């Protein structure tokens, strides 16, 4: 009869609705469980990067490895390493002998190979908005080698990364401004350093 068919349809609709609600509840519980497990322990991030440094007295390409720990409250700490290779303007003192036998000295510059290792140590904060991560840090950077020596500088870092939720691989880009003492040769000096990095974001925490 028509009444029987209507009752069957009603029961089927009710069953489907119960199943749908049960699925939503299970998915929500899984999401809460995942979020709680990650928030309890904080997260570690590793980033193989490529980029360049500009020191005013030198421009170098870099290959590096950045490390970051983020606590569940957003507090972050960076430990970054980079090998820089490029060209620097060396300054040196040149002795000039006059025809009358007197001598004086001139400061001259020449361009030559520059190779160095640089590090950054800085605390900061990282805000996570879904798959988007925005971080800011302030701390210390230094390093050097053949060509450029950074005696120590205040480093300010701004980074953006994209990491899909529940995934272990994303990408990252960052820029760092350094204010301090950078020397090349005996006399060339630069008070500023700019770094730009692009790389892959890896995390074993998820």
């Amino acid at each position: 009869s028509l009444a029987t068919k209507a009752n069957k349809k009603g029961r089927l609709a009710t069953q489907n609705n119960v199943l749908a609600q049960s699925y939503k509840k299970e998915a929500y519980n899984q999401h809460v469980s995942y979020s709680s497990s990650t928030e309890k322990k904080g997260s570690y991030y590793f980033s193989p990067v490529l980029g360049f440094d500009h020191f005013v007295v030198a421009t170098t390409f870099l290959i590096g490895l950045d490390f970051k720990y983020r606590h569940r409250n957003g507090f972050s700490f960076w430990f970054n390493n980079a090998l820089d290779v490029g060209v620097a303007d060396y300054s040196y003192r040149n002795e000039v002998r006059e025809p009358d036998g007197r001598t004086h000295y001139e400061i001259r510059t020449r361009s030559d190979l520059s190779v160095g290792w640089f590090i950054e140590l800085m605390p900061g904060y990282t805000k996570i908005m879904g798959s988007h991560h925005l971080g800011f840090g302030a701390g210390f950077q230094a390093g050097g080698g053949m060509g450029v020596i950074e005696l120590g500088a205040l480093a300010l870092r701004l980074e953006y990364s994209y990491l899909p939720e529940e995934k272990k691989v994303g990408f990252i880009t960052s820029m760092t401004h350094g204010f301090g003492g950078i020397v090349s040769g005996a006399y060339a000096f630069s008070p500023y350093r700019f770094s730009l990095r692009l790389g892959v974001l890896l995390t074993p925490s998820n």
Side-chain angles (χ1 to χ4, degrees), residues 114-129:
S114 174
V115 179
W117 187 264
F118 296 87
I119 65 168
E120 297 173 345
L121 298 169
M122 60 185 76
Y125 180 82
T126 302
K127 176 69 174 179
I128 296 180
M129 299 164 287

Side-chain angles (χ1 to χ4, degrees), residues 65-105:
L65 179 64
D66 293 351
F67 166 81
K68 180 176 76 172
Y69 169 75
R70 179 187 182 275
H71 193 262
R72 63 178 180 270
N73 62 9
F75 171 80
S76 303
F77 186 82
W78 285 266
F79 174 49
N80 305 326
N81 298 268
L83 175 66
D84 282 38
V85 180
V87 176
D89 292 328
Y90 291 82
S91 64
Y92 63 98
R93 190 172 70 165
N94 183 64
E95 182 180 352
V96 178
R97 185 175 295 276
E98 302 290 349
D100 59 4
R102 293 181 299 174
T103 60
H104 67 274
Y105 295 92

Side-chain angles (χ1 to χ4, degrees), residues 43-204:
S43 302
Y44 298 89
Y45 302 91
F46 301 89
S47 303
V49 295
L50 296 174
F52 75 91
D53 278 331
H54 180 62
F55 297 88
V56 179
V57 293
T59 297
T60 60
F61 294 97
L62 67 86
I63 178 171
L65 179 64
D66 293 351
F67 166 81
K68 180 176 76 172
Y69 169 75
R70 179 187 182 275
H71 193 262
R72 63 178 180 270
N73 62 9
F75 171 80
S76 303
F77 186 82
W78 285 266
F79 174 49
N80 305 326
N81 298 268
L83 175 66
D84 282 38
V85 180
V87 176
D89 292 328
Y90 291 82
S91 64
Y92 63 98
R93 190 172 70 165
N94 183 64
E95 182 180 352
V96 178
R97 185 175 295 276
E98 302 290 349
D100 59 4
R102 293 181 299 174
T103 60
H104 67 274
Y105 295 92
E106 297 177 343
I107 304 302
R108 297 184 178 182
T109 61
R110 60 183 175 84
S111 297
D112 209 337
L113 177 67
S114 174
V115 179
W117 187 264
F118 296 87
I119 65 168
E120 297 173 345
L121 298 169
M122 60 185 76
Y125 180 82
T126 302
K127 176 69 174 179
I128 296 180
M129 299 164 287
S131 299
H132 305 277
H133 299 210
L134 185 63
F136 173 80
F140 173 80
Q141 66 181 20
M146 182 180 70
V148 175
I149 298 176
E150 187 173 30
L151 304 176
L154 169 65
L156 303 177
R157 176 186 176 95
L158 180 64
E159 73 171 29
Y160 167 77
S161 58
Y162 178 79
L163 181 67
E165 295 183 67
E166 303 186 38
K167 301 297 183 181
K168 296 180 180 293
V169 181
F171 74 86
I172 185 170
T173 180
S174 68
M175 62 179 180
T176 304
H177 301 272
F179 304 91
I182 302 163
V183 296
S184 175
Y187 300 94
F189 176 81
S190 169
Y192 176 70
R193 169 188 171 191
F194 174 76
S195 300
L196 180 65
R197 305 184 182 196
L198 300 170
V200 179
L201 183 66
L202 307 171
T203 174

